[in-house]
Amino acid sequence: MRQEAQKAEGNVSTGMHFVLLGFSDLSNLQGFLFGAFFFMYMIIIVGNSLIIILTRLDPALQKPMYFFLANFSSLEICYVSVTLPRMLVNLWTQNRSISFLECATQLCFFLVLGATECFLLAVMAYDRYVAICNPLHYPLVMNQKVCVQLAVGSWVIGIPVQIGQTAQIFSLDFCASNQINHFFCDIPPIIKLACGDTSVHEMSVYIVAMLFVAIPFMLILASYSKIISTILKLPTASGRAKAFSTCSSHLLVVVLFFGSASITYLNPKSSHSALTERLLSLFYTIVTPMFNPMIYSLRNKDVIAALRKFLGKWVLLKVSPDEHMRLL
């Protein structure tokens, strides 16, 4: 760590490495943080994997809503795996050095998957809009071909733009320090290391954020304004409650993800403290992916029923034939 600090001064482009400070200011909590984040990572992997398995195996979940939910769970596993394993290694080994190329690769995947999440959340809102506002046309509008096209489009739409943005960010001159005061390579802390005028790059980040954050969010708001208007016109209270329950989980995830991401990326070189930026990023990189399986399963009767059926079959496979007959 002492050698890394000595190398902190000078041009990073020639040093070809960064130092991710992460939570180094909490030196007495490194073991606790490793255990806490490792536990969160396991919850994210197991919870989202279980949703993927359930949506694949249970016939009751063979619907567009759950097809997109499976895509979303797959995305969350990929999204959190871009940053969290590296952070766990840094906490365990206390070696926080990351090469220039590794940092650029991490940022690129993080941005691409972040863009995918924004558009996939918008697609899921559109799916709920069609289901609630045009139920008779729902099977025709959200057929298998359309669902696949929307899912694939969400996954690939951000690739060219985010590769270009990553290349632009790493074309900057880093002459002040190579110490990134963050737990992964993200745009705001990297821009802070650049010397010279970065206003053009900041404007570029702002424009891309408007395209990939603000536009999907506006589409979600438009969908939910129509959804809420339609729900309020339903004649029975039970019908309104059922319609709201199918949307509330998705809406909660939208608020958690877009709220924290917007504060960070719509002002890339803000006056926020490093601690505030780290806490905000924890929401959209770790906390939201961890709570997503709980939010969608605990508030969805179909998923709960599929989970009970799956666990029941798993228990029966584990017992002996005699015990099996006795349970029957």
Side-chain angles (χ1 to χ4, degrees):
M1 188 67 189
R2 186 175 299 171
Q3 290 178 346
E4 290 169 352
Q6 291 174 349
K7 292 179 182 178
E9 302 299 327
N11 195 322
V12 174
S13 299
T14 58
M16 297 301 288
H17 84 285
F18 290 103
V19 177
L20 291 168
L21 296 181
F23 298 95
S24 58
D25 53 335
L26 303 173
S27 56
N28 58 330
L29 295 176
Q30 298 297 294
F32 171 78
L33 290 173
F34 176 85
F37 287 125
F38 181 78
F39 180 68
M40 291 178 183
Y41 189 45
M42 290 299 100
I43 290 177
I44 293 167
I45 297 297
V46 173
N48 285 287
S49 297
L50 192 56
I51 285 181
I52 296 169
I53 293 170
L54 292 177
T55 54
R56 293 278 294 179
L57 297 181
D58 197 290
L61 302 184
Q62 304 303 307
K63 301 174 183 177
M65 174 182 176
Y66 300 109
F67 169 76
F68 293 124
L69 180 56
N71 268 268
F72 191 68
S73 294
S74 302
L75 171 65
E76 294 292 59
I77 292 173
C78 297
Y79 186 60
V80 78
S81 295
V82 171
T83 58
L84 197 45
R86 179 80 196 202
M87 184 174 67
L88 290 173
V89 170
N90 292 349
L91 287 169
W92 182 259
T93 65
Q94 296 300 300
N95 178 13
R96 299 181 175 88
S97 178
I98 183 171
S99 72
F100 194 82
L101 180 60
E102 287 174 336
C103 190
T105 302
Q106 185 184 59
L107 178 63
C108 185
F109 275 101
F110 177 75
L111 293 177
V112 169
L113 293 173
T116 299
E117 180 148 355
C118 291
F119 280 98
L120 196 53
L121 285 170
V123 167
M124 293 170 77
Y126 174 70
D127 171 70
R128 292 298 84 207
Y129 159 74
V130 178
I132 293 173
C133 300
N134 297 288
L136 296 179
H137 296 93
Y138 182 68
L140 180 63
V141 175
M142 300 302 293
N143 59 63
Q144 185 178 11
K145 181 180 179 181
V146 170
C147 289
V148 171
Q149 289 174 340
L150 288 172
V152 171
S154 298
W155 280 91
V156 304
I157 192 170
I159 293 177
V161 175
Q162 300 297 7
I163 289 176
Q165 177 156 272
T166 302
Q168 185 184 47
I169 293 297
F170 281 88
S171 67
L172 291 166
D173 291 322
F174 305 100
C175 55
S177 171
N178 67 345
Q179 295 184 336
I180 300 175
N181 197 0
H182 210 28
F183 60 88
F184 69 97
C185 294
D186 200 4
I187 290 178
I190 291 176
I191 285 183
K192 288 181 179 179
L193 300 183
C195 54
D197 183 17
T198 60
S199 58
V200 174
H201 294 81
E202 290 180 53
M203 181 57 67
S204 172
V205 172
Y206 184 82
I207 292 172
V208 172
M210 290 297 293
L211 289 172
F212 290 98
V213 178
I215 290 179
F217 186 65
M218 294 302 293
L219 293 173
I220 292 170
L221 287 181
S223 296
Y224 273 104
S225 65
K226 293 286 187 180
I227 288 170
I228 292 172
S229 175
T230 301
I231 290 175
L232 292 176
K233 294 176 183 177
L234 293 177
T236 63
S238 60
R240 290 193 294 269
K242 184 178 179 180
F244 270 122
S245 68
T246 64
C247 301
S248 57
S249 301
H250 177 259
L251 197 56
L252 182 57
V253 172
V254 167
V255 171
L256 284 172
F257 179 77
F258 278 96
S260 53
S262 298
I263 295 172
T264 300
Y265 283 93
L266 293 180
N267 196 3
K269 202 171 183 179
S270 65
S271 58
H272 299 145
S273 67
L275 179 60
T276 302
E277 288 182 351
R278 279 180 286 173
L279 290 175
L280 284 171
S281 62
L282 281 176
F283 266 93
Y284 59 84
T285 58
I286 298 176
V287 175
T288 303
M290 182 178 68
F291 281 114
N292 282 348
M294 303 178 199
I295 291 170
Y296 279 108
S297 60
L298 295 177
R299 300 182 64 85
N300 190 299
K301 292 180 180 179
D302 291 339
V303 175
I304 292 175
L307 179 60
R308 287 174 176 169
K309 190 189 302 182
F310 175 78
L311 293 177
K313 289 181 179 179
W314 186 80
V315 170
L316 289 176
L317 288 173
K318 292 295 181 180
V319 302
S320 65
D322 293 338
E323 291 174 325
H324 191 180
M325 292 300 296
R326 182 165 53 83
L327 288 172
L328 292 176

